[in-house]
Amino acid sequence: IEPFDSLRFERAQRLGLYAVSALVASLARLGIAEEIALTVLTSGHRAVDRADRVRPELATLPAALTVMAQEYRNLHCRTIDLDPAQEVASGETSGQLAKLLAEVAPRTSAPSPSELTVAYRGRMRYALGYEPLRLQGDAPSAEQPDPDRLGLRQDGVYLLTGGFGYVAGIVANKLARRFGARLALLGRTEIPPREEWEGWFETHDESDPVSLRLLRIRQLEEAGAEVLPLVADVADVEATRAALATTRQRFGALNGVFHLAGVMSDEEMMMSIDQLKPARCAPLFKTKVEALHTLSTVLAEVEAAGELEFCLLFSSMASVLGGLGFTAYTAANGFVDAFAARQQQLGRYSWLAANWDGWDPAEPETEVEGAVEASRARYTMSPSESTEAIHRLVALEGVGQVVVSTGNLAERIGRWVEFTADPPAEKAGGEAAPSGHARPDLQTPFVAPCNEIESEIAGLWSELLGIEEIGIHDNFFQLGGDSLLATQVAARIRGVLKVDIPLRAFFTASTVAELAELASEDERGEELSAIELALAEIEGLSDDDLDSALDEDAGEAGG
């Protein structure tokens, strides 16, 4: 397997992700409403056979197609992955070429779910699917450790990249309490020497970012861990190499790595398709792509010692289910999934990408406030659930990717990716479901729609969310909406009102009134554009030409 090459990655994005996103953005600007079939050909973007030469840089576009099809429902996207061991143009593969031509031949209906992602290997045709994986037994505990079993171990040495993020905090806390682990927490913020900590708190508030890191270290040590804070950008080879050397010098070994760097806020991840440019995607790809390249390089230098057992990559459910405005984020996590599969093929130690649902910082009995957090509550995992899943995942052998879904994955894929399942508030056949449940108890008072646009948007929300009454100041996410439901709202607004609401609007203008105002501005903008265009054309006409044109228009209108 060839090593990852940054130049190859950039070229693949230029010819793949950026080129196709520019095409889709152009189709959207033209306002094309007809059904469009978009088929992308790759060669080795995912592992099918053990002998496959996986090329992670190709996996970004197939993942991003999921979001493109969600945002533009007249766009039907497919991926066909050809055998990387064969050349389609050679005479020996004329049969494969014939199959390929049959795959892309015009059809009268949208592709069936089994045709959205297919792969050819030799004479075999494979369709992408997911099978439930039952993780047998409990993870070893501090009371009953199992030294012969792969997985987390008592007094184990673990490196956590992005080690001071909130997800890393949940993982580190469990490693400390249950296993008395020795933890190397890798972050990018400088931390003062331990002898200066007392003086630090005398001059800094506890809400200071550095203070919060110091408090976390103290809490982990009180829970039973030995903690080594390290400063490095995981995308920096030399800094990461030095961090690993310090870890092994301090603890004498390195048993496992949790790669959590790259967890970003919704605002950082959200971008419309026409914003998918190299400069805009660079920060995301740095944490998701460059960091993995660095990590694999430096880990290869220490793996000869034999103590390294696993590297668990924290990927996202976005690469499986997509989500409104998550094109770049989905693409980046598609790379993570494929990279883990490639590394797993090396077989020296376990590489695993876990596609997680949301991580709730609180246990179920604790109420978490916030619009986006509330919308994801039905699919989030509590700290105890997520850490128990980790215990079992790291004990797996021979698996490169696992989707950790808190809901029925087949149903979720059917609804959001394949579009074969009805939305929550619709019945089979597309009929509107009966009135749903009552409006929840919100802090904002109910205010009924007062114009046609507000009524249309409120009606769409009511249908999709299954809520009887929607007020114009009700927040979409506090009502239970999420980025996936927002894809349907955006598509329906585009179809019913004939206006294109910006994708980020659902996170910055998430009420009926705010969206209605945006829709009105869009309509006024189109009217002004038409008037300006007409005036520009008139200004270029002579008086005689103008009189002639007006006479022709009057004649066509019947005088």
Side-chain angles (χ1 to χ4, degrees):
I1 299 177
E2 297 179 0
F4 172 73
D5 187 298
S6 60
L7 294 178
R8 182 185 302 160
F9 174 83
E10 293 169 2
R11 182 174 185 272
Q13 306 322 301
R14 188 172 65 254
L15 299 178
L17 178 64
Y18 298 136
V20 173
S21 61
L23 170 63
V24 172
S26 297
L27 294 173
R29 283 194 295 269
L30 291 172
I32 297 176
E34 290 79 5
E35 302 295 305
I36 299 172
L38 176 60
T39 301
V40 169
L41 304 182
T42 59
S43 180
H45 91 268
R46 65 170 58 247
V48 178
D49 291 337
R50 289 183 179 275
D52 280 352
R53 292 178 289 115
V54 180
R55 300 176 62 189
E57 68 272 13
L58 301 181
T60 55
L61 176 55
L65 290 177
T66 301
V67 181
M68 296 182 189
Q70 289 171 336
E71 295 179 358
Y72 301 99
R73 292 296 295 273
N74 64 318
L75 187 64
H76 304 287
C77 300
R78 305 177 61 212
T79 302
I80 300 175
D81 193 63
L82 304 179
D83 192 338
Q86 296 181 343
E87 293 292 337
V88 176
S90 69
E92 298 178 0
T93 58
S94 58
Q96 182 172 336
L97 181 58
K99 293 176 182 177
L100 175 60
L101 292 175
E103 289 274 7
V104 299
R107 60 187 72 205
T108 57
S109 60
S112 66
S114 63
E115 297 175 308
L116 294 181
T117 304
V118 300
Y120 281 95
R121 296 296 185 268
R123 297 183 178 181
M124 300 297 294
R125 179 186 188 273
Y126 297 88
L128 176 63
Y130 297 88
E131 292 293 331
L133 176 65
R134 186 173 185 82
L135 304 181
Q136 298 291 339
D138 294 327
S141 65
E143 293 77 19
Q144 295 178 323
D146 185 354
D148 297 324
R149 175 176 173 171
L150 290 175
L152 302 176
R153 59 175 63 232
Q154 187 70 15
D155 298 323
V157 179
Y158 300 108
L159 172 72
L160 282 71
T161 69
F164 291 95
Y166 86 92
V167 173
I170 295 174
V171 177
N173 185 62
K174 185 61 68 170
L175 290 172
R177 294 184 181 279
R178 189 164 179 176
F179 295 99
R182 292 169 289 174
L183 305 175
L185 304 183
L186 189 63
R188 289 183 295 179
T189 301
E190 289 283 350
I191 293 180
R194 190 174 290 265
E195 59 270 16
E196 298 178 9
W197 289 9
E198 290 301 328
W200 178 274
F201 286 112
E202 293 176 0
T203 57
H204 295 80
D205 190 85
E206 289 189 356
S207 61
D208 178 85
V210 174
S211 299
L212 292 174
R213 284 164 170 74
L214 300 183
L215 289 172
R216 172 168 306 175
I217 294 170
R218 285 183 171 179
Q219 291 168 354
L220 291 173
E221 291 175 341
E222 291 171 359
E226 187 176 350
V227 181
L228 172 64
L230 297 167
V231 181
D233 183 343
V234 74
D236 185 323
V237 175
E238 293 304 322
T240 305
R241 180 181 286 121
L244 258 68
T246 302
T247 300
R248 298 183 72 242
Q249 182 179 10
R250 168 76 174 272
F251 298 129
L254 179 62
N255 301 126
V257 177
F258 296 89
H259 181 55
L260 302 112
V263 176
M264 309 178 77
S265 68
D266 287 320
E267 184 177 353
E268 293 172 307
M269 294 184 294
M270 289 283 293
M271 64 182 76
S272 57
I273 289 178
D274 60 355
Q275 293 177 318
L276 258 66
K277 304 295 190 295
R280 182 71 189 271
C281 295
L284 181 58
F285 284 152
K286 181 178 181 180
T287 57
K288 290 288 186 179
V289 175
E290 293 182 40
L292 280 183
H293 180 208
T294 298
L295 199 59
S296 64
T297 299
V298 297
L299 290 179
E301 298 169 0
V302 302
E303 66 185 20
E307 76 260 8
L308 192 58
E309 296 168 354
F310 67 84
C311 182
L312 179 61
L313 310 181
F314 280 61
S315 185
S316 169
M317 189 65 76
S319 64
V320 179
L321 298 180
L324 179 70
F326 284 177
T327 311
Y329 184 69
T330 296
N333 282 287
F335 175 90
V336 173
D337 301 341
F339 191 92
R342 194 199 76 160
Q343 293 298 111
Q344 182 65 33
Q345 289 177 323
L346 296 174
R348 296 170 185 150
Y349 56 94
S350 175
W351 280 76
L352 175 64
N355 302 91
W356 296 99
D357 268 317
W359 283 51
D360 193 330
E363 292 293 348
E365 63 271 12
T366 304
E367 182 178 352
V368 179
E369 297 181 353
V372 176
E373 286 78 3
S375 73
R376 295 172 179 167
R378 54 183 163 170
Y379 291 125
T380 55
M381 303 177 70
S382 69
S384 56
E385 291 171 333
S386 53
T387 52
E388 185 61 29
I390 286 177
H391 293 169
R392 302 188 184 208
L393 286 174
V394 297
L396 289 174
E397 296 184 81
V399 179
Q401 179 184 2
V402 174
V403 179
V404 186
S405 177
T406 59
N408 186 299
L409 183 62
E411 291 180 0
R412 297 171 77 182
I413 291 175
R415 176 172 298 147
W416 304 119
V417 180
E418 300 170 345
F419 304 118
T420 56
D422 295 318
E426 290 185 2
K427 297 191 298 185
E431 300 177 40
S435 296
H437 55 274
R439 177 177 177 270
D441 185 17
L442 303 175
Q443 293 182 350
T444 55
F446 173 78
V447 178
C450 56
N451 58 51
E452 183 178 354
I453 294 180
E454 289 181 349
S455 296
E456 288 282 2
I457 295 175
L460 292 176
W461 287 22
S462 178
E463 181 181 344
L464 291 173
L465 296 171
I467 298 175
E468 291 179 353
E469 289 185 316
I470 303 289
I472 63 173
H473 300 307
D474 293 347
N475 186 286
F476 180 74
F477 298 102
Q478 291 177 345
L479 291 172
D482 55 30
S483 62
L484 291 173
L485 273 174
T487 64
Q488 292 199 359
V489 174
R492 297 284 289 277
I493 290 177
R494 189 180 299 117
V496 174
L497 301 179
K498 308 303 180 185
V499 295
D500 192 13
I501 298 295
L503 301 180
R504 296 180 304 282
F506 286 89
F507 289 90
T508 59
S510 51
T511 68
V512 169
E514 291 168 334
L515 287 177
E517 178 63 24
L518 287 176
S520 299
E521 291 175 356
D522 188 278
E523 287 185 335
R524 289 195 294 270
E526 289 187 358
E527 292 172 0
L528 288 174
S529 296
I531 293 172
E532 290 168 353
L533 179 61
L535 288 174
E537 292 177 349
I538 290 173
E539 288 175 356
L541 295 175
S542 65
D543 290 342
D544 291 340
D545 290 336
L546 182 57
D547 290 339
S548 176
L550 291 174
D551 289 341
E552 289 179 6
D553 288 342
E556 291 178 0

